[in-house]
């Protein structure tokens, strides 16, 4: 990096982010032309393949009738391109890696939340078809959903991965309650909050602190995010398991796997890439800007290898998402669907009634209004 007027050349605040894009491209293409040109060209081709796959899927979805389900399917479709294009951007500008990582993690949180909402929408649709509203029936959709899910009888609903599977035989069998489903949704939603806060804090530290502080705190933040992701997965598994039988013809397992496979791949590849880089790299790389130790140089190489693999893994995700979330799932004519948030409000009201608390007249009117299907715009 050229000297900055009024500041030292080896300013640690700038150096630990890596060289600027122009210096990085010039230096690495000169020192290791075969490696880096091969990486850049093949990754760019991977980005083109990714965009073509996602574009074809998006065109199929656009042909279907407007619906809530279509909105959430569209959000899920954009998971792969955000993942792949942020990784591609980091390959051409290593300084942007913290920002690109934050964006991809936030998109992952949005997609997991969208998947939970998709399950809710499909569940309401199946409940409406299997338990149609009778003329004298005043039950809400939230009550009918609980009734439909409890047809399978008492189950160990919390005995699912990653926390409850080992204790499945010990956990009691019980019927689902509104509080159970609300808890599962809360488990999913906390991940979006955790990713946002940790991402902003990590980006601020990358810009404002030296490498030692950033490395230490960022390691802690990564552990917090991983724990939060496991809690999110646990909530998804609870919702997935209790809705699996009702939604079997929508292939919920394929949907779940298509979104989680990239997380599993990235976790495992970190364990594999790190020892390989330590054995094959001496820490001296064109990625290093300024005076840094060997460990830091190896870390930058690990990041580059991970970003390159992520570009190609995102193509796999795009293919799996296209098969798991086909446009044929979407209605081709106007249908009645319930808002997932409305059903959650009804569950909250049911839980309040169970506790014997005072419920105002407005909550009763909300239930009466929610008991009738609300057509979408």
């Amino acid at each position: 990096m050229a000297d900055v007027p009024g500041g030292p050349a080896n300013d640690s605040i700038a150096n630990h982010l890596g060289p600027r894009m122009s210096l990085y491209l010039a230096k690495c293409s000169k020192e290791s032309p075969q490696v880096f040109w091969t990486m850049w060209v093949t990754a760019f081709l991977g980005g083109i393949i990714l965009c073509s796959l996602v574009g074809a899927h998006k065109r199929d979805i656009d042909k279907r009738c407007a619906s809530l389900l279509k909105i959430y399917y569209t959000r899920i479709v954009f998971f792969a391109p955000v993942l792949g294009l942020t990784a591609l951007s980091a390959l051409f500008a290593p300084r942007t890696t913290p920002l690109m990582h934050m964006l991809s993690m936030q998109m992952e949180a949005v997609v997991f939340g969208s998947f939970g909402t998709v399950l809710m929408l499909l569940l309401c649709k199946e409940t409406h078809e299997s338990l149609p509203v009778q003329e004298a029936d005043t039950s809400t959709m939230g009550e009918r959903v609980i009734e439909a899910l409890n047809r399978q009888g008492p189950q160990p609903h919390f005995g699912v991965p990653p926390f409850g599977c080992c204790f499945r035989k010990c956990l009691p069998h019980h019927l689902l309650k509104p509080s159970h489903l609300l808890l599962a949704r809360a488990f999913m939603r906390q991940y979006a909050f955790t990713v946002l806060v940790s991402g902003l804090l990590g980006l601020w530290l990358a810009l404002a602190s030296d490498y030692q502080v950033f490395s230490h705190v960022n390691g802690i933040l990564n552990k917090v995010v991983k724990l939060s992701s496991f809690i999110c997965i646990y909530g998804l598994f609870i919702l997935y398991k209790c809705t699996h039988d009702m939604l079997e013809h929508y292939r919920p397992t394929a949907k779940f796997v298509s979104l989680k496979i990239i997380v599993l791949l990235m976790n495992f590849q970190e364990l594999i890439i790190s020892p390989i880089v330590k054995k094959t790299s001496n820490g001296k790389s064109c990625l290093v800007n300024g005076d840094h130790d060997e460990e830091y140089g190896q870390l930058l190489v690990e990041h580059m290898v991970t970003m390159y693999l992520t570009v190609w893994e995102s193509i796999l995700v795009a293919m799996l998402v296209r098969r798991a979330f086909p446009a044929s799932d979407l209605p081709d004519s106007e249908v009645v669907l319930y808002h997932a948030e409305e059903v959650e409000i009804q569950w909250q009201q049911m839980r309040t009634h169970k506790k014997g608390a005072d419920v105002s007249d407005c909550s009763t009117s909300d239930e009466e209004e929610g008991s009738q299907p609300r057509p979408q715009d």
Side-chain angles (χ1 to χ4, degrees), residues 112-118 120 180-190 235 239 340-341 344 347:
F112 287 167
S114 297
F115 176 59
T117 303
V118 164
M120 289 281 292
H180 298 154
L181 295 173
L182 289 172
L183 181 62
R185 293 286 281 169
F187 284 162
M188 289 183 276
R189 287 189 173 126
Q190 58 80 33
L239 190 59
E341 290 79 5
E344 288 186 45
W347 286 341

Side-chain angles (χ1 to χ4, degrees), residues 100-121:
M100 296 299 105
H101 179 69
M102 182 185 73
L103 292 176
S104 64
M105 292 295 289
Q106 288 180 356
M107 186 61 185
E108 180 184 327
V110 168
V111 166
F112 287 167
S114 297
F115 176 59
T117 303
V118 164
L119 291 180
M120 289 281 292
L121 291 172

Side-chain angles (χ1 to χ4, degrees), residues 34-53:
Q34 293 182 342
V35 173
F36 281 90
W37 275 108
T38 300
M39 179 184 68
W40 292 332
V41 172
T42 54
F44 185 76
L45 291 176
I48 294 175
I49 296 172
L50 173 64
C51 291
S52 63
L53 287 172

Side-chain angles (χ1 to χ4, degrees), residues 9 34 59 83 86 167 173 244 253 273 277 280 284 302-303:
Q34 293 182 342
R59 285 192 296 272
L83 194 68
T86 52
F167 308 99
H173 289 59
H244 179 270
T253 303
I273 291 173
V277 170
T280 59
K284 297 179 180 180
E302 287 177 31
H303 287 169

Side-chain angles (χ1 to χ4, degrees), residues 11-66:
D11 183 1
S12 62
I13 293 179
N15 283 336
H16 76 260
L17 293 175
R20 297 187 183 277
M21 183 175 177
S22 56
L23 178 61
Y24 156 71
L25 294 176
K27 187 178 178 182
C28 290
S29 61
K30 180 179 180 180
E31 293 184 7
S32 305
Q34 293 182 342
V35 173
F36 281 90
W37 275 108
T38 300
M39 179 184 68
W40 292 332
V41 172
T42 54
F44 185 76
L45 291 176
I48 294 175
I49 296 172
L50 173 64
C51 291
S52 63
L53 287 172
V54 173
H57 192 186
K58 181 64 167 58
R59 285 192 296 272
D60 292 340
I61 289 178
D62 287 341
K63 296 175 183 178
R64 314 300 285 191
C65 182

Side-chain angles (χ1 to χ4, degrees), residues 258-310:
S258 68
L259 300 179
K260 288 309 301 174
I261 190 170
I262 183 64
V263 178
L264 295 174
L265 283 174
M266 293 181 74
N267 286 334
F268 279 113
Q269 75 185 16
E270 287 180 5
L271 300 175
I272 298 173
I273 291 173
S274 180
I276 293 177
V277 170
K278 287 181 180 179
K279 289 183 178 180
T280 59
S281 174
N282 58 7
K284 297 179 180 180
S285 170
C286 57
L287 299 171
V288 177
N289 188 41
D291 297 326
H292 288 287
D293 57 19
E294 180 178 330
E295 182 181 355
Y296 176 74
Q298 292 174 346
L299 180 64
L300 291 179
V301 174
E302 287 177 31
H303 287 169
M304 293 298 289
V305 175
T306 300
M307 293 298 104
Y308 179 76
L309 293 177
T310 301

